Amino acid sequence: MREYVTEAIVLKKEPVREFDVRLSLYTRELGKVKALVTSARKPLSKLSPHVEPLSIAQVRLAEKGGVQLTDALRKGVLPKKHVGVLTLLDAVLLVGERDDRLWSLLTRDFSLEEVLAALGFDPNFAVCETCGKSAPNIFLLKDARYACAECVPYMFS
């Protein structure tokens, strides 16, 4: 059994079975990790408040037939305005994908544009994929591309 103690940002929390949850974490040393937390939804769970989305926590992870979170201590919370950024990260990062630049960006005040640039979608070099207009203002996660406000209504009609 391997054990890791690292800082992590909770990207996503989803229920599993009656009392367990599966977390998507972005950690300093391991990158993106999916971890099971047993009994986290029980009323007297001591881990539950430490593993809410947007939390920055010191976590203990154990590999036993998958990754399990065995302990956590919340050290801080990201502002609620970053929920969309964490959803984006959970969608585009692969398990095990690690990036020191992205970690340092997420642990300070950051903007969506900075995160997109770190992921390779730099808005400074973007053009609308439909009309070719420079400086589009909408990033479409599903298609991983940029569009301008004028073209978006035509894309979904």
Side-chain angles (χ1 to χ4, degrees):
M1 175 177 81
R2 286 185 139 163
E3 199 170 78
Y4 305 94
V5 176
T6 184
E7 275 188 285
I9 297 170
V10 181
L11 303 176
K12 184 178 177 182
K13 179 179 177 179
E14 50 194 345
V16 177
R17 296 186 290 274
E18 189 175 356
F19 294 114
D20 303 342
V21 295
R22 179 159 321 279
L23 299 177
S24 287
L25 305 169
Y26 190 71
T27 70
R28 177 183 296 227
E29 284 86 14
L30 305 171
K32 182 179 172 185
V33 175
K34 295 273 192 176
L36 182 68
V37 186
T38 56
S39 302
R41 294 175 37 205
K42 286 189 175 180
L44 298 176
S45 170
K46 291 182 168 79
L47 283 178
S48 188
H50 301 281
V51 293
E52 289 300 315
L54 297 170
S55 295
I56 301 170
Q58 187 78 22
V59 298
R60 181 183 307 271
L61 302 168
E63 283 186 81
K64 359 178 194 176
V67 179
Q68 292 188 355
L69 187 136
T70 59
D71 198 13
L73 178 62
R74 186 162 61 183
K75 299 172 88 179
V77 179
L78 295 173
K80 287 187 180 186
K81 68 180 180 177
H82 293 314
V83 168
V85 173
L86 298 187
T87 302
L88 168 75
L89 290 173
D90 187 51
V92 301
L93 294 175
L94 300 174
V95 171
E97 191 170 351
R98 178 180 175 263
D99 184 342
D100 290 330
R101 180 176 154 216
L102 182 59
W103 176 262
S104 65
L105 182 66
L106 295 174
T107 54
R108 64 170 178 78
D109 191 28
F110 61 89
S111 68
L112 173 61
E113 291 77 19
E114 290 175 303
V115 172
L116 286 170
L119 294 172
F121 301 107
D122 194 334
N124 295 318
F125 303 109
V127 294
C128 176
E129 300 252 342
T130 304
C131 69
K133 181 179 169 185
S134 62
N137 52 357
I138 299 170
F139 181 75
L140 302 167
L141 176 60
K142 180 181 173 202
D143 302 324
R145 65 182 179 148
Y146 283 95
C148 62
E150 293 80 28
C151 292
V152 168
Y154 301 109
M155 293 175 156
F156 301 106
S157 60

